[in-house]
Amino acid sequence: MTTQGIQEIPHDRQQLERVTVRFAGDSGDGMQLVGGLFASEAAWMGNDLGTLPDFPAEVRAPSGTVAAVSGFQIQIGASTVHTPGEESDVLVAMNPAALRAGLKSLRLGGVVLFNTSSLSERSLQKAGLSPEDLDAMRRHHQVIDVEMSRLCQLAVADTGLTKAQAERCKNFFALGLLSWMLHRDISPTVRWIQSKFAKKPAFADANVKALEAGYRCGENAELAAALPLYHVPEAAMAPGRYANLTGNQAMVYGLMAAACRSKRPIFLGSYPITPATDILHEMIRLRQDGVTVFQAEDEIAAVCSAIGASYSGQIGVTSTSGPGFTLKQEALGLAVMTELPLVVLDIARAGPSTGMPTKTEQSDLLQALHGRHGEAPVFVLAASSPADCFAVAYEAVRLALTYMTPVVVLSDSYLANGSEPFRIPAAEELPAITVALHQDATAFLPYGRDPVTLARPWAVPGTRGLEHRIGGLEKEENTGKVSHDPANHEAMMRLRAAKIHKAAASLPPVQVMGDPQAPVLLVGWGSTLGAITEAREQLQQDGIAVAQVHLTHLNPLPPNLEKVLRSYERVIVPEVNSGQLAAILRERFLIPTIGFNRIQGLPLRARDIHAFVLRTMEESQHVHA
Amino acid sequence: MSTLEEYAAAAAPAPLTREDLLPEGEVKWCPGCGNYGILTAFQKVLPGLGLPREQFVFVSGIGCSSRFPYYINTFGFHTIHGRAPAVATGIKLANPELSVWVITGDGDALSIGGNHFIHALRRNMDLKIILFNNRIYGLTKGQYSPTSQFGVTTKTSPLGVPDYPFSPVRLALAAGATLVARTFDADQNHLQATLAAVAQHKGAAFVEVWQNCPVFNDGVFDDIIGKSFRQEKVVYLQEGEPLRFGQDKGQVLIANGRGMQAVPWEQATPDTVIRHDPDHADATVAFMLADMEEQGLPVPMGILRRVRKPSYDEIMADQGAPAGSVPDISALLGRLEGWTIAER
Ligand code: SF4
């Protein structure tokens, strides 16, 4: 579809630059579904957006309890949206438990669309709320009571659905009402319902009726008085075709794009683990498009099968999260020693051990850099937004194939599940990946090297005349024979390190965002890009000059990074860990870094970074005074 | 190229010979190690298979046996401890044309690599897994392994091994291997015949090779396969033949209603005699054969079970996932549900 652009803005509506909405309901209430459809409506109206689901930790917690609440947050904007929003402006709450859970992130005075059909003594009790609690909520927020279930039942009465089936349409009723309130066109949702339920016309009919009833009910007299009406104008998005992708989806498409451009097939060996499993799901969906997916018996088999596939000439990929990454580390050493391409996707979560599996954290950076026995250097990259996962996965394959070495890609559950508009590139826009399987048997040296990249030849089984042996034992340079020679070992250790470090020169330099003359530099990596950018922009609006760089390449570091770091009085490093990048920069460049660290399993918030920068600047003024 | 014949001769490589397979360097197993005999058998069998040398891949883990790939001039991958079946799986799935052999040992396959071992067999992965069983850890110099018999003393069991051993063939049968065989290093003919049969199998094939480690576990199988015992203690399995053994094949194993029993050949009746049928769909007899050593009966050598069912790579092909194709990214991205922002 092509976005419709914005028609005239009704004068009775308040125009907003941004708005953040949170859908909250029981896990069975279809909140993720209507959240996603609301995103499509906003995209269709030309907004930029970011979304983030908030799944319950248990598969089926008792319904009606706070543990069973499934949330979906979305920020839409008339200009670039950096995050799925921090505090929400509007909460859609389908029951008391959802109300209680959702209020935690609703701003003071925010609007609640509350399904009062769900109110009963029992439902309040399950949510752990008293009637007095409800009253208090009403004092602090604009709670708008809507008998969603009852009105929905009325709307779909003539569709032939049972009462229970009709009840299940209430999420569409809620979406209709929200769409009216925010002035979003419901036609993309109508089309989606009609195609989704093409074979079940009664359901299609009922869901459309529920949606439309919700939309119209905003105009009804009682409600109209209380309901604030908003409008968010379209954003200036670059022209092109867009799709709303989660980080995990974008990762998969990035890998597929790299397979296409390098003309090497992709092999994914994986074992289910939260929050990386969707990569496995998405890949298996694409198996007819040319990808081999192997669900292994464990994390170790997953990476080992990928190494085997790489040895056989495919792009071996394995996807995992922190605990699984730890299990794969020995095999990563093998891939370093045998100099085979390999891409390891670590979709990090809060650790250590099982930790908080559905919560986000940036705590695997040091594991990625140094987690192996021996000294086994690998490329390390980090994605900085859901859409950026595409580019980073692509870059990982490029590096793995160009340098014949493993590459670790860091993402996290915040990026993995979050989504944003992804501008679909044309194949020609993607950088070339030139790689050829070795064929020439004359004077073949398994550990001979390309003088520029230091890559050894990719000589795969089945190629006549290239029979050779590789393995985890130290290799003799050129011949690849097993060697215990001390001088050779040192040469090979230095060579493996040089392979990575030499590549730095060919990497893009970091770009300074914001005011390059500012005294303070914010240095981030990975999923904090949105929050740091928002904080920096806010500071600039407040008249405080701040510079910002964000790292994609963490090993090797970009060639100009040291020079950039040395140009600022204060270097602040915000991270969702206890200071891993801050320590690396200190160690590498001998410059003082100031960590801003939160380890709560939550993404950083722009306003916390904002406050920290202000505090740091004040303190330094005291010191200077 | 001057003539068509010369061209054809150059295009069709000379058939594989034993010399082609000889290692580049020295073979470094201890003198007298049973592994030498196994290596010889491979060098003799591979040339007869009609495959060019580059189609063979030997994948191993860690241990004395796992040095094997260095000693045969094909493609070879000496991986990490226990993980050879997993690496071999990736090799095979990325190129199903290859003949992929896993060389492993009792510690490598059954201890640290137990999980990969059973799952490769369960999936009927088209791999030939050859386990050199010497019932000891050789490379680390003499600790007990998961096939060391209960009570024997080793460096780490001065008072006797406290755990019960695995029977590799029973484990392989239970895990779902579609070919299960046993042979031993001292019988070159049997070893070669077994490997040749295994080479023809499509699917997960498992061979337990009893292998003597003269340094740390010398003669561990002697009371069964030693020259003076073999006749009485070994039953060579032959398709369609009764399970006869002993002097002049005077003894035979018969079914006795609960299991097997050895009786003089004259006492066997057509109802009770078991004619070896490795291809039988029902695995009951195969399990009985696998159990004989534990029952104190003569030990069967040969193919215990061999059934054909689709292998993992065949199933993948059936499901329409073509190995080795490359995605068309424009088509793929074109299918994404999305929207277009027009030029302003
Ligand atoms: S230690 Fe035993 S198994 Fe290992 S090479 Fe020596 S004899 Fe063979």
Side-chain angles (χ1 to χ4, degrees):
Chain A
M1 65 189 185
T2 302
T3 56
Q4 64 174 55
I6 287 305
Q7 331 70 17
E8 87 293 1
I9 299 150
H11 59 274
D12 57 343
R13 284 179 178 267
Q14 187 188 344
Q15 193 161 316
L16 297 177
E17 177 72 12
R18 305 257 172 103
V19 68
T20 298
V21 179
R22 189 175 185 88
F23 294 84
D26 211 52
S27 351
D29 282 345
M31 292 295 98
Q32 305 301 327
L33 175 65
V34 289
L37 289 168
F38 182 72
S40 299
E41 290 179 7
W44 156 248
M45 309 263 312
N47 294 129
D48 195 8
L49 60 94
T51 80
L52 186 68
D54 183 5
F55 303 114
E58 315 305 330
V59 176
R60 290 256 159 85
S63 79
T65 62
V66 172
V69 173
S70 171
F72 184 93
Q73 186 156 311
I74 171 167
Q75 175 167 222
I76 66 173
S79 56
T80 307
V81 166
H82 299 300
T83 71
E86 292 171 0
E87 291 193 314
S88 46
D89 304 296
V90 181
L91 169 68
V92 178
M94 303 307 286
N95 65 23
L99 180 66
R100 183 174 173 191
L103 280 184
K104 281 193 210 131
S105 56
L106 186 70
R107 72 171 162 78
L108 218 58
V111 180
V112 184
L113 302 179
F114 181 40
N115 175 21
T116 46
S117 308
S118 68
L119 261 181
S120 69
E121 215 174 292
R122 173 116 181 83
S123 68
L124 279 176
Q125 189 200 342
K126 273 191 180 173
L129 290 175
S130 65
E132 294 73 45
D133 293 333
L134 269 189
D135 292 342
M137 289 170 182
R138 288 178 193 283
R139 281 199 296 278
H140 295 121
H141 303 285
Q142 304 178 57
V143 180
I144 297 170
D145 293 337
V146 189
E147 287 184 284
M148 294 191 198
S149 304
R150 191 180 66 82
L151 294 171
C152 180
Q153 293 280 359
L154 285 178
V156 307
D158 61 348
T159 56
L161 261 56
T162 65
K163 202 160 180 261
Q165 287 168 335
E167 168 71 14
R168 301 192 49 143
C169 301
K170 66 177 185 292
N171 56 338
F172 281 100
F173 183 94
L175 175 60
L177 176 57
L178 180 79
S179 301
W180 164 254
M181 178 180 165
L182 289 170
H183 199 225
R184 300 301 90 181
D185 186 346
I186 56 174
S187 56
T189 302
V190 172
R191 282 196 296 274
W192 182 89
I193 294 172
Q194 278 159 350
S195 89
K196 177 79 187 174
F197 295 101
K199 294 210 179 87
K200 292 179 178 166
F203 285 91
D205 189 27
N207 282 323
V208 171
K209 283 197 162 118
L211 179 74
E212 288 173 348
Y215 193 79
R216 277 194 317 270
C217 114
E219 289 176 287
N220 103 15
E222 279 166 70
L223 253 186
L227 192 68
L229 298 181
Y230 299 127
H231 177 78
V232 183
E234 66 183 317
M237 308 272 284
R241 239 177 77 70
Y242 285 80
N244 193 37
L245 294 187
T246 65
N248 276 348
Q249 286 173 322
M251 198 75 91
V252 166
Y253 285 97
L255 294 172
M256 295 297 266
C260 171
R261 288 288 273 162
S262 64
K263 302 197 176 59
R264 295 312 315 158
I266 285 269
F267 176 99
L268 176 73
S270 188
Y271 184 77
I273 183 169
T274 303
T277 314
D278 278 342
I279 292 175
L280 180 56
H281 293 159
E282 194 70 21
M283 272 284 191
I284 200 83
R285 248 175 25 82
L286 302 181
R287 68 188 184 283
Q288 311 291 358
D289 290 283
V291 55
T292 304
V293 182
F294 174 62
Q295 182 177 314
E297 60 272 23
D298 57 33
E299 296 281 359
I300 298 172
V303 64
C304 285
S305 65
I307 292 172
S310 286
Y311 175 60
S312 254
Q314 300 201 346
I315 304 165
V317 181
T318 186
S319 51
T320 189
S321 186
F325 186 33
T326 304
L327 288 167
K328 294 181 198 292
Q329 293 280 13
E330 185 197 8
L332 235 78
L334 176 69
V336 168
M337 189 58 112
T338 52
E339 301 188 39
L340 287 169
L342 174 72
V343 175
V344 180
L345 309 173
D346 175 17
I347 317 302
R349 62 192 215 186
S353 190
T354 313
M356 299 196 288
T358 58
K359 301 295 172 193
T360 199
E361 207 161 85
Q362 293 185 296
S363 46
D364 285 350
L365 175 57
L366 289 175
Q367 180 178 208
L369 290 166
H370 304 300
R372 292 158 294 288
H373 61 283
E375 290 177 6
V378 299
F379 285 103
V380 179
L381 307 175
S384 55
S385 75
D388 187 48
C389 290
F390 180 94
V392 166
Y394 190 93
E395 171 71 354
V397 173
R398 188 188 72 81
L399 290 172
L401 299 187
T402 309
Y403 296 93
M404 289 287 284
T405 190
V407 180
V408 174
V409 174
L410 296 172
S411 172
D412 56 35
S413 70
Y414 178 56
L415 296 183
N417 297 319
S419 79
E420 66 181 349
F422 164 70
R423 196 183 67 80
I424 299 170
E428 316 78 70
E429 288 176 51
L430 301 166
I433 304 178
T434 19
V435 58
L437 299 182
H438 193 80
Q439 301 289 347
D440 187 2
T442 47
F444 167 59
L445 288 170
Y447 273 64
R449 286 176 198 282
D450 180 292
V452 178
T453 62
L454 302 181
R456 75 175 189 92
W458 199 0
V460 309
T463 319
R464 184 172 307 162
L466 300 189
E467 295 84 354
H468 68 287
R469 273 64 51 195
I470 59 169
L473 287 167
E474 182 61 283
K475 297 288 165 290
E476 184 177 83
E477 175 59 339
N478 292 314
T479 65
K481 288 186 181 140
V482 173
S483 167
H484 292 100
D485 178 64
N488 176 74
H489 178 56
E490 177 152 354
M492 292 302 283
M493 291 295 284
R494 295 196 187 284
L495 210 151
R496 287 185 285 264
K499 214 185 199 189
I500 308 293
H501 289 120
K502 264 188 76 170
S506 69
L507 299 180
V510 283
Q511 303 289 340
V512 178
M513 297 172 274
D515 181 351
Q517 311 302 331
V520 172
L521 176 70
L522 291 165
V523 184
W525 68 277
S527 65
T528 51
L529 174 66
I532 301 176
T533 305
E534 211 164 289
R536 195 245 312 146
E537 287 178 355
Q538 190 59 52
L539 286 160
Q540 280 174 315
Q541 276 173 30
D542 301 347
I544 297 155
V546 180
Q548 178 191 359
V549 294
H550 205 78
L551 305 181
T552 294
H553 292 91
L554 291 148
N555 196 39
L557 289 165
N560 65 332
L561 183 62
E562 178 169 8
K563 191 157 172 279
V564 170
L565 294 176
R566 291 199 187 286
S567 318
Y568 297 88
E569 283 170 35
R570 288 267 177 285
V571 175
I572 300 177
V573 188
E575 293 177 87
V576 190
N577 60 37
S578 54
Q580 300 191 11
L581 179 65
I584 291 164
L585 298 179
R586 268 199 303 273
E587 180 260 347
R588 192 72 56 84
F589 303 119
L590 290 175
I591 55 156
T593 53
I594 305 163
F596 171 69
N597 306 97
R598 288 283 179 279
I599 334 167
Q600 304 185 354
L602 299 170
L604 292 187
R605 298 195 307 180
R607 57 179 157 135
D608 296 335
I609 301 171
H610 180 275
F612 183 81
V613 172
L614 288 182
R615 217 165 46 239
T616 309
M617 291 177 88
E618 268 171 31
E619 277 163 18
S620 71
Q621 267 162 11
H622 291 315
V623 173
H624 287 195
Chain B
M1 294 297 156
S2 52
T3 70
L4 216 58
E5 288 74 35
E6 272 178 39
Y7 182 81
L16 188 59
T17 65
R18 188 184 167 180
E19 285 63 43
D20 295 332
L21 296 169
L22 295 180
E24 287 178 311
E26 216 183 319
V27 182
K28 291 180 184 157
W29 287 313
C30 307
C33 176
N35 291 351
Y36 284 98
I38 309 174
L39 179 61
T40 303
F42 268 102
Q43 289 165 343
K44 292 210 167 140
V45 167
L46 296 195
L49 299 177
L51 283 175
R53 186 171 66 173
E54 65 270 16
Q55 289 302 107
F56 292 105
V57 187
F58 284 85
V59 188
S60 65
I62 296 294
C64 291
S65 59
S66 289
R67 297 296 172 99
F68 187 95
Y70 293 119
Y71 305 148
I72 191 154
N73 192 2
T74 62
F75 279 93
F77 199 160
H78 178 215
T79 72
I80 44 180
H81 207 6
R83 318 301 172 202
V87 175
T89 291
I91 295 173
K92 180 74 195 183
L93 295 182
N95 183 357
E97 301 296 307
L98 298 171
S99 176
V100 184
W101 298 70
V102 172
I103 305 294
T104 183
D106 34 318
D108 191 55
L110 304 181
S111 200
I112 194 166
N115 203 31
H116 312 306
F117 175 73
I118 57 175
H119 285 280
L121 299 180
R122 169 177 76 84
R123 295 187 180 105
N124 200 25
M125 198 59 73
D126 188 23
L127 303 174
K128 298 148 205 347
I129 303 181
I130 317 298
L131 188 156
F132 298 7
N133 184 7
N134 55 17
R135 297 186 172 172
I136 198 80
Y137 285 125
L139 197 64
T140 50
K141 302 191 166 63
Q143 302 76 25
Y144 67 91
S145 88
T147 55
S148 297
Q149 301 299 290
F150 180 80
V152 304
T153 51
T154 70
K155 274 198 193 140
T156 46
S157 59
L159 302 179
V161 171
D163 28 298
Y164 302 104
F166 265 136
S167 154
V169 286
R170 271 203 309 210
L171 184 62
L173 281 172
T178 47
L179 187 154
V180 176
R182 177 157 51 202
T183 181
F184 59 104
D185 57 4
D187 188 338
Q188 201 41 240
N189 289 338
H190 191 260
L191 194 49
Q192 287 179 30
T194 307
L195 292 178
V198 164
Q200 305 303 332
H201 183 71
K202 176 78 184 167
F206 171 71
V207 185
E208 177 191 6
V209 187
W210 282 3
Q211 173 248 325
N212 192 36
C213 168
V215 177
F216 296 108
N217 212 10
D218 193 25
V220 63
F221 300 109
D222 274 3
D223 57 351
I224 295 169
I225 55 172
K227 280 266 151 56
S228 48
F229 296 99
R230 203 179 292 176
Q231 186 169 279
E232 294 300 323
K233 290 292 180 66
V234 168
V235 191
Y236 283 101
L237 301 174
Q238 284 175 298
E239 271 184 79
E241 296 296 324
L243 307 174
R244 292 176 72 173
F245 66 99
Q247 194 175 3
D248 303 323
K249 302 244 168 181
Q251 304 258 52
V252 68
L253 290 156
I254 59 163
N256 68 2
R258 290 184 49 205
M260 286 200 198
Q261 172 187 357
V263 295
W265 170 236
E266 301 76 43
Q267 288 178 19
T269 65
D271 306 343
T272 55
V273 79
I274 301 169
R275 286 183 186 276
H276 184 50
D277 179 9
D279 305 328
H280 201 284
D282 184 332
T284 311
V285 176
F287 274 105
M288 278 161 62
L289 292 171
D291 218 21
M292 283 164 64
E293 190 193 356
E294 281 73 11
Q295 304 304 322
L297 292 167
V299 174
M301 290 289 168
I303 297 175
L304 280 69
R305 177 167 169 79
R306 178 185 54 204
V307 289
R308 179 76 174 99
K309 64 181 186 185
S311 61
Y312 189 93
D313 60 302
E314 289 174 324
I315 295 165
M316 282 294 106
D318 268 3
Q319 291 190 354
S325 61
V326 169
D328 173 350
I329 192 66
S330 306
L332 200 59
L333 293 174
R335 290 208 310 267
L336 283 174
E337 266 178 57
W339 67 95
T340 301
I341 306 268
E343 299 275 354
R344 282 149 209 270

